[in-house]
Amino acid sequence: MSHLSPSASRFRGGAGFPPRAIGLVCALIVLWAARPSFASFYSWPVGDGPKALAVGDLNGDGRQDLVTANSESTVTVLLNGGGGRFGARQDLPTYGWGAQVAIGDLNDDDAPDLVVAYLSVSVFLGNGDGTFRAPADYFVSPGVATCVAVADVNEDGRQDVLAGNSFWNDVAVFPGIGDGTVGAPPTSMRIRSTFRRPGRNGPGQRRPRVRPHRSGPHRSFR
């Protein structure tokens, strides 16, 4: 003979749970069982202190290769061997410590080139097989290049090199010549911020102030 109370007997066999609640619990169990897992991963060694990572097909085999800019004055190239695995690393010496790396084609030969921001801007022209020539260094003077990008900003069909200058807080534009070299940066963009103190209209706001500034052949906006 059962001695369960009337309230407890309602939950025998799950009869006391609404069908919608039971369905929700089952759905959560299914989602938990099918959740993605990142417990297994692979790793490949690169140079000391990697600061930036770029991905691109460096040897024309249709696979995405890896490049890291390292703080030990090297760039590491890892060629994709297929199946998400990479071959032996290739270390390229650079000038200064690594900050950022970009991939482009500065000489229009369909072989990806590397542009690295260190103390200077280093350009490694690619051979098309995942190897690279000795670098050509371009300096952001005065200042230090801390970030780079490759794009055709002057719309002449040639890729240009853009470098952030942490000393002057500006961006230097090195116009591409088309043969793998770049010209001196005739233009930089400088933006200086001012801070308005709090007043009757509410808290202070940071307002960028941009004004043209001309100093000899070097044009800038300060």
Side-chain angles (χ1 to χ4, degrees), residues 20-21 43 86 92 101 119 124 171 208:
R20 183 173 300 176
S43 62
F86 296 87
L92 308 175
V101 58
L119 295 175
F124 295 82
V171 176

Side-chain angles (χ1 to χ4, degrees), residues 71-89:
S71 59
E72 63 165 5
S73 300
T74 61
V75 175
T76 297
V77 177
L78 293 174
L79 297 182
N80 194 333
R85 297 182 178 273
F86 296 87
R89 81 190 217 194

Side-chain angles (χ1 to χ4, degrees), residues 149-167:
V150 179
D152 181 11
V153 295
N154 56 2
E155 300 180 346
D156 63 352
R158 303 165 182 167
Q159 290 195 329
D160 311 307
V161 174
L162 296 84
N165 185 343
S166 63
F167 186 81

Side-chain angles (χ1 to χ4, degrees), residues 16-128:
F17 292 96
R20 183 173 300 176
I22 297 175
L24 177 60
V25 172
C26 293
L28 291 176
I29 293 175
V30 172
L31 290 175
W32 177 261
R35 72 190 188 282
S37 176
F38 296 96
S40 299
F41 65 92
Y42 305 100
S43 62
W44 279 264
V46 297
D48 291 344
K51 297 294 185 181
L53 173 68
V55 180
D57 183 6
L58 302 179
N59 56 355
D61 62 355
R63 299 168 180 163
Q64 297 298 302
D65 308 308
L66 304 181
V67 184
T68 62
N70 311 314
S71 59
E72 63 165 5
S73 300
T74 61
V75 175
T76 297
V77 177
L78 293 174
L79 297 182
N80 194 333
R85 297 182 178 273
F86 296 87
R89 81 190 217 194
Q90 174 189 177
D91 290 331
L92 308 175
T94 58
Y95 183 87
W97 60 83
Q100 194 176 23
V101 58
I103 299 176
D105 185 6
L106 299 180
N107 54 354
D108 198 24
D109 63 351
D110 295 327
D113 309 313
L114 303 180
V115 180
V116 187
Y118 283 87
L119 295 175
S120 63
V121 176
S122 298
V123 176
F124 295 82
L125 295 182
N127 296 317

Side-chain angles (χ1 to χ4, degrees), residues 201-212:
N201 296 329
Q205 298 178 357
R206 187 173 296 276
R207 290 183 174 180
R209 181 178 61 192
V210 181
R211 61 182 181 180

